[in-house]
Amino acid sequence: ALADHLRSKSKGLLISGAPGEGKTTFAQALAELYTKDNKIVKTLESPRDLMVPDQVVQYSFTYGGHDEVRDILLLSRPDCAFYDEVRNKEDFELFADLRLTGIGLIGVTHATKPVDSIQRFVGHVELGIIPQVIDTVVFIKAGAINEVLVLDLMVKVPHGMMSEDLARPVIQVSSFLTKKVLYEIYSFGEQIVVMDTAKVDAMREEK
C-alpha cells in the first residue's frame, strides 16, 4: 500500500530524518523506482551527489540560480523532480512554486522528528497551501522507514476545543501506518499552533 502511495498518489513528498540516517539512500532508491516506471525524473542538488540512473538529468545550484532552475523545469515539465536538499528560504519558496505548477516533487530535508519537516515550511508557505505543497512525509531512521505522515486540509473545530464558533481551516497530520491523527496545525490569532492530539487527550484525562 505504501509503495503504491509513493508511486502514484503522492505528488509532494518530503524525505526527512537526522544526518546519516539514510535519507539520500532512500531518495536514490525511489529515483530508480520512478525511472523503471518510465517517469521523466530530474534532480536539483547542491552539491550534486545523488547516485541515480544515467537517464536522470541532474541540475546543480552551483551552476545556476533558483530562477534559472525554475525556468528550466517549467519548460521541460518532468514527471517528478528530486530536491536535495530543502534548507533555506529560497529552497522552500521554489519547492512550493514548482509544486503549485503541478510538477511532482520529492524533497530531502533535515529533521529530528517527522512533524519538524512540516513545521519548517510554516512561515515560508501560506498555511492553507501547505497540504498542496506537501502531502506525504517519509521519516527515515537507522536506514529504515520509521514513520509516514499524510496531510489533509479541512474546516473543523480544532481538537480539544468545544465551541462551534472556533471552526477554522485545520491541517490534519495522520500516520499512514496507523491511520491515527497525530497533529493538527492551524492559526489561532497571530500564532500558528502545531497541536499534538495525544497530549491534548492526556491532559483531558488528567482533569
Side-chain angles (χ1 to χ4, degrees):
L2 178 58
D4 180 52
H5 179 79
L6 297 180
R7 281 172 113 150
S8 54
K9 296 188 178 127
S10 175
K11 299 298 176 195
L13 169 66
L14 274 187
I15 300 167
S16 69
E21 295 287 351
K23 300 187 298 294
T24 302
T25 307
F26 184 78
Q28 288 168 178
L30 212 50
E32 208 164 303
L33 185 68
Y34 290 155
T35 307
K36 282 181 183 164
D37 286 347
N38 294 317
K39 290 185 176 179
I40 299 165
V41 180
K42 309 215 166 178
T43 70
L44 317 177
E45 302 171 60
S46 179
R48 207 173 76 180
D49 61 356
L50 283 176
M51 307 293 287
V52 289
D54 291 343
Q55 56 267 57
V56 175
V57 177
Q58 294 175 272
Y59 296 115
S60 172
F61 291 116
T62 312
Y63 302 104
H66 284 66
D67 287 341
E68 290 167 289
V69 170
R70 176 194 285 113
D71 292 345
I72 288 167
L73 283 182
L74 292 179
L75 285 168
S76 60
R77 308 295 295 181
D79 294 314
C80 61
F82 283 77
Y83 200 133
D84 182 36
E85 34 197 288
V86 186
R87 55 175 169 246
N88 58 37
K89 185 173 184 284
E90 280 184 311
D91 292 329
F92 289 109
E93 287 172 356
L94 179 55
F95 190 96
D97 196 12
L98 292 171
R99 262 305 298 126
L100 295 174
T101 65
I103 293 171
L105 279 184
I106 301 93
V108 180
T109 190
H110 287 306
T112 50
K113 290 190 302 192
V115 75
D116 288 353
S117 44
I118 302 169
Q119 284 183 263
R120 292 185 69 184
F121 277 80
V122 174
H124 296 296
V125 179
E126 200 179 310
L127 197 65
I129 292 173
I130 287 179
Q132 294 175 49
V133 174
I134 317 160
D135 55 50
T136 309
V137 175
V138 174
F139 187 74
I140 307 290
K141 192 170 184 181
I145 294 172
N146 175 266
E147 179 61 279
V148 180
L149 303 178
V150 288
L151 286 74
D152 289 297
L153 182 69
M154 54 191 67
V155 175
K156 66 183 289 292
V157 177
H159 191 77
M161 295 185 187
M162 299 300 174
S163 171
E164 292 295 323
D165 297 343
L166 294 171
R168 65 200 59 227
V170 173
I171 298 171
Q172 282 199 320
V173 182
S174 312
S175 167
F176 182 87
L177 308 172
T178 66
K179 309 302 177 203
K180 276 187 182 173
V181 176
L182 303 179
Y183 300 93
E184 288 190 342
I185 306 173
Y186 52 90
S187 58
F188 193 80
E190 297 294 306
Q191 298 284 315
I192 301 288
V193 178
V194 180
M195 181 62 68
D196 183 328
T197 54
K199 280 187 181 170
V200 174
D201 292 340
M203 283 162 69
R204 270 180 169 174
E205 283 169 20
E206 280 172 19
K207 288 176 184 176

